[in-house]
């Protein structure tokens, strides 16, 4: 090997070491930044918002029964949400509310306006939920007929949405929000129908998944 070859080999080794140092510095910087974000996140770990069903007014609940098996509903619900965090705000970018009976959606989703909820803030919504001539799944026909005859009915008001957390000037990515609120209803005179008006006024706590 000539002296020229040795010199070229030494230059290559020096460049390789320089690149390794640069890469090591970049990697160390990224690790430090991620650790800072992790520490801040753990210190300010957001608590899920709390939802409550305050009341539900059933203006129409009419089930035709076999063979058509169509259900028409008009329900007004009042929902409230509280942000329990002292340092974390919540962006509600999408909130779709609908009524469900035994896991089947029985109303069209009603969209609530996007909003920001500050620390410890409480917000209230009162949307109408409409379900015009919704086909009922065959396996629900018998339970629905029995509940309608007895005058007792358990519905669930559900919210499907997307939220973001805000800590200072930093805003997180989107998280999926799912809320389920039970509403136990008793119909007047033990029967439902197109003219039925039932008011549920016992505030119930909702399950929240984020």
């Amino acid at each position: 090997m000539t002296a020229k070859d040795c010199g070229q080999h030494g230059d290559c080794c020096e460049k390789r070491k320089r690149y390794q140092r640069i890469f090591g510095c970049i990697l160390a910087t990224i690790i430090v930044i991620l650790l800072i974000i992790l520490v801040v996140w753990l210190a300010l770990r957001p608590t899920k918002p709390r939802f409550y069903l305050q009341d539900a007014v059933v203006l129409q609940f009419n089930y035709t029964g076999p063979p058509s098996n169509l259900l028409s509903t008009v329900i007004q619900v009042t929902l409230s949400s509280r942000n329990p965090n002292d340092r974390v705000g919540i962006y509600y970018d999408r909130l779709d509310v609908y009524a469900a009976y035994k896991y089947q959606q029985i109303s069209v989703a009603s969209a609530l306006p996007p909003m920001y909820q500050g620390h410890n803030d409480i917000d209230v919504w009162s949307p109408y939920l409409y379900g015009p001539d919704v086909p009922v799944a065959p396996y629900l026909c018998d339970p629905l007929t029995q509940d309608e005859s007895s005058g007792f009915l358990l519905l669930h008001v559900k919210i499907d949405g997307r939220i973001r957390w805000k800590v200072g000037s930093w805003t997180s990515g989107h998280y999926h929000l799912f809320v389920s609120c039970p509403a136990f209803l008793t119909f007047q005179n033990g029967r439902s129908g197109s003219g039925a008006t039932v008011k549920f006024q016992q505030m119930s706590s909702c399950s929240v998944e984020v």
Side-chain angles (χ1 to χ4, degrees), residues 91-95 160-164 174-177:
Y91 283 106
Y92 293 100
D93 293 327
R94 178 177 63 83
L95 291 175
D160 186 88
R162 289 166 66 85
I163 65 173
R164 290 175 295 157
H174 282 102
Y175 287 80
H176 180 246
L177 173 73

Side-chain angles (χ1 to χ4, degrees), residues 23 49 62 107 135 141 148 154 204:
F23 177 77
N62 188 23
S107 75
C141 293
E148 186 188 33
L154 176 62
S204 65

Side-chain angles (χ1 to χ4, degrees), residues 4-154:
K4 183 177 179 181
D5 292 335
C6 292
Q8 290 177 346
H9 181 70
D11 291 341
C12 290
C13 291
E14 186 63 29
K15 288 181 180 179
R16 188 179 299 111
K17 291 179 181 179
R18 188 181 306 118
Y19 290 145
Q20 288 176 346
R21 286 195 295 269
I22 293 173
F23 177 77
C25 291
I26 294 174
L27 181 61
T29 302
I30 293 174
I31 291 174
V32 170
I33 292 174
L34 291 176
L35 285 175
I36 292 174
I37 293 175
L38 178 61
V39 170
V40 172
W41 180 257
L42 291 175
L44 301 174
R45 188 180 343 187
T47 301
K48 295 183 294 186
R50 296 170 184 167
F51 280 80
Y52 302 91
L53 177 63
Q54 294 186 346
D55 64 53
V57 180
V58 182
L59 304 175
Q60 179 183 358
F61 193 92
N62 188 23
Y63 175 54
T64 60
S68 57
N69 294 326
L70 298 177
L71 177 63
S72 295
T73 56
V74 179
I75 307 172
Q76 184 184 18
V77 298
T78 301
L79 295 157
S80 64
S81 170
R82 177 177 177 269
N83 176 11
N85 297 284
D86 294 326
R87 298 181 180 86
V88 182
I90 304 174
Y91 283 106
Y92 293 100
D93 293 327
R94 178 177 63 83
L95 291 175
D96 294 329
V97 186
Y98 61 92
Y101 174 75
K102 294 187 183 295
Y103 307 107
Q104 178 180 340
Q105 183 173 337
I106 60 172
S107 75
V108 178
S110 177
L112 301 179
M115 57 165 290
Y116 171 75
Q117 190 174 53
H119 314 151
N120 294 301
D121 281 356
I122 297 175
D123 292 279
V124 180
W125 304 275
S126 295
Y128 282 87
L129 309 180
Y130 297 93
D133 294 331
V134 176
V136 177
Y139 72 91
L140 293 179
C141 293
D142 289 341
L144 186 54
T145 300
Q146 294 171 3
D147 289 346
E148 186 188 33
S149 298
S150 66
F152 297 97
L153 188 69
L154 176 62

Side-chain angles (χ1 to χ4, degrees), residues 195-207:
T197 301
V198 182
K199 190 159 187 178
F200 162 85
Q201 270 188 317
Q202 182 179 357
M203 181 182 293
S204 65
S205 180
C206 309
S207 64

